[in-house]
Every structure is written in C-alpha cells, then in structure tokens.
Amino acid sequence: MDATAWAAVATGLSALVIAWQSFETRRSAGQAKRSADASEEAVGAAVDALELTRQQAKHSQLMAAEAIRARMEVQGPAITVRFADPDGPKAHSYALAPTSDAETPTIIRPGYELWDPRNGDDWLYAVVSISFENTSPHPVTIICPNLFSHQSDGKMVSRIPRLLIPAPRPETPMIISAQLLVGTTVANWLRVTKQQNLGTLVGGSAQWSTELIGETGVQVTNEIQILGSIIESFKENGGYRLREIGPDVNYPSRFLVQPQRREYFIGQDRDGTRHKLPPIEPEIIKD
C-alpha cells in the first residue's frame, strides 16, 4: 500500500475518532442535562413540601388561637352601646374645659367665640348621650376619662372614669346612661379647620374600653370620632366660633363610630406588660 493509501486510511480513522468523541460528548451533555432537570425537579418538590408544611403549621396555629379565643369568650365582657338618637350619635350640647381632666367643663352653645392663640390649650367637646347595656353573666367595668353623669347649672358634673355595670338579673336588663364628651384641644380643631378636605380629617374623638382583670382575658374597646371641625372662622384677627356638627359647604363635620375591637390577653410579665394573642389570618394551602 503506497503512501497515498495510508494517508487516506489515517484520515478515515481520524474522522471516526472525532465522530465518536462528538457522540460521547453529546451523550454526556444529555445525561448531565437530564440529571440537572431531575435535581431541579427534586428541589422544587422539596420546596413545595416545605411550603405545604409551613401552611399546615399556620393552620394549626390558627386552630389553636381560635380555640383559646373561644374559651376566653365564655368569661369575656359583652357590652351593647346605644345612643339617644336611633340614627347614631348626635351632639345635644357642647362643653369647654381648661384641661382634659377638668371636673366641671362648662356647657356652651353654637356661636360661642374662641380666639387663637388664647384658647388654644382649652378642650372643646361635643356632648353625646350614651348608654351601656351589660349582657355578660358577670359585672363589667367601663374605663373612660370622658364620661360624666349629667349636667347641672351649666356644667358637666360627676365625672365617671370607671363605670361599674352590675350583672343583669333574670328578665331585668342592666343599662346605665351617661354623657360622653367627644373632642380635643382648640388648637387641634383649628388645625383641622385650616386644612383642605377637612371633612375627611379626624378632629376630636373619645375612646372607652372594658377593664381587664387578671393576667388573661378579653378587652373590648370602642371609639367615636368627629370627622371635620366644629369651629369656623368669622374674624380675620384670629376669631373663631363654635358651630354645630353637620353638613356645610365650608366646614362639614360628622360622627364616625369605629368598629368594636376585641383583644385577647394570654399572660403578663413581672413588670405588668401584657401579652396579646396575635391575630392569625388563614392562608390557602397549595395543592
């Protein structure tokens, strides 16, 4: 066989080797890709399994929390709040006091003049008639610094910071009426008056809650707000006057009763710090 033939044979063998190497490379690459895909699927399955476990744990916590709430509600307070007007809170009068804890705020009428800054630190309130009915099987105490018994000689009298409502008797509802002062300082009323869209801003408010006895229990909290302001400008040199709550082109105002809030306390530290049962929202478990 001459040199030309041997060269042809060598070339053919080289081509076969190269082809075989290419085949093996492609086969190895395919196996590596299949292995990578399998690993990725395994990781995805593990992630899904972990997420399912987390969701199941969340639901277990939810079930446990709801069971605790249900047990606590048996001894929890049940208070029904009513206003003199069936349509909701209405201001039947207004009151002015030098401080938030004044014992005898003065009754004033719409049109009463207020001056900035002279009256800025005074407290201005709308007075609302309110009643509390205890439908619990045990006494309940309402904690509220803005409750008064009644009016007398142009004054709010007999502040009731702790209102004890006895347990009802058979066929005898236990209802106690009082006067609730809803407001804030004159300076805050002025701040709202000077804002645009003041009908959506919170001017004054009043909040009350049930007293929590012991380390565990349920506490109920309510709040009334006044959106807008109850004073209007009538003089350029800092003069303002009291106006009634209601619709107005320039100074709209209205009452807003916030939804009742129930909080569940499950323990207390030595320093008096209480621990609340956190709200847990259910989540959808993935398939």
Side-chain angles (χ1 to χ4, degrees):
M1 185 178 295
D2 58 17
T4 301
W6 281 112
V9 171
T11 301
L13 291 173
S14 298
L16 287 174
V17 170
I18 292 172
W20 178 78
Q21 288 176 336
S22 298
F23 172 76
E24 286 297 320
T25 300
R26 286 195 298 271
R27 188 176 67 171
S28 298
Q31 291 175 343
K33 184 177 183 302
R34 287 191 293 274
S35 297
D37 291 342
S39 297
E40 184 177 352
E41 291 177 359
V43 170
V47 170
D48 290 341
L50 288 173
E51 179 63 17
L52 179 59
T53 300
R54 188 183 70 84
Q55 296 288 345
Q56 290 173 336
K58 280 281 189 180
H59 278 258
S60 297
Q61 291 177 356
L62 175 64
M63 296 295 291
E66 289 303 319
I68 294 173
R69 287 187 179 93
R71 289 196 299 270
M72 296 174 73
E73 282 289 3
V74 175
Q75 296 298 321
I79 295 292
T80 301
V81 178
R82 297 186 179 89
F83 302 100
D85 192 299
D87 294 330
K90 295 287 180 67
H92 62 78
S93 59
Y94 300 84
L96 186 69
T99 62
S100 61
D101 57 356
E103 291 299 324
T104 55
T106 301
I107 302 300
I108 59 176
R109 298 179 179 277
Y112 185 91
E113 295 184 5
L114 300 159
W115 296 90
D116 181 26
R118 185 177 66 194
N119 294 111
D121 292 334
D122 291 342
W123 284 73
L124 178 61
Y125 302 96
V127 184
V128 176
S129 293
I130 191 171
S131 63
F132 304 92
E133 180 180 3
N134 182 11
T135 56
S136 310
H138 48 77
V140 173
T141 299
I142 301 292
I143 305 298
C144 179
N146 292 355
L147 278 181
F148 286 79
S149 173
H150 60 285
Q151 301 178 15
S152 178
D153 296 329
K155 302 282 187 179
M156 300 298 304
V157 295
S158 300
R159 182 187 289 272
I160 318 172
R162 298 179 74 257
L163 176 62
L164 175 62
I165 309 176
R169 298 176 181 177
E171 301 181 359
T172 304
M174 187 54 63
I175 303 174
I176 296 181
S177 298
Q179 307 284 300
L180 177 67
L181 272 57
V182 185
T184 184
T185 62
V186 172
N188 281 334
W189 288 121
L190 288 174
R191 177 186 57 81
V192 176
T193 299
K194 296 173 182 177
Q195 298 292 321
Q196 294 182 347
N197 302 321
L198 61 87
T200 62
L201 299 178
V202 177
S205 63
Q207 186 179 96
W208 64 93
S209 59
T210 56
E211 184 177 46
L212 185 64
I213 300 175
E215 297 184 359
T216 62
V218 184
Q219 186 172 53
V220 179
T221 301
N222 292 79
E223 183 179 13
I224 296 179
Q225 298 174 337
I226 297 177
L227 300 185
S229 181
I230 59 175
I231 60 176
E232 59 186 359
S233 175
F234 81 105
K235 289 186 179 180
E236 295 181 356
N237 58 346
Y240 294 83
R241 62 189 175 193
L242 174 66
R243 64 175 303 275
E244 293 189 46
I245 295 177
D248 186 270
V249 175
N250 298 314
Y251 302 99
S253 57
R254 63 184 177 91
F255 282 105
L256 176 65
V257 180
Q258 292 290 350
Q260 187 180 86
R261 185 172 73 250
R262 301 182 76 84
E263 296 177 299
Y264 302 82
F265 293 86
I266 55 177
Q268 179 175 308
D269 292 337
R270 292 182 179 179
D271 62 0
T273 302
R274 297 185 186 277
H275 298 282
K276 290 190 295 186
L277 186 67
I280 303 176
E281 298 297 333
E283 297 180 25
I284 299 176
I285 297 181
K286 293 182 179 181
D287 296 332

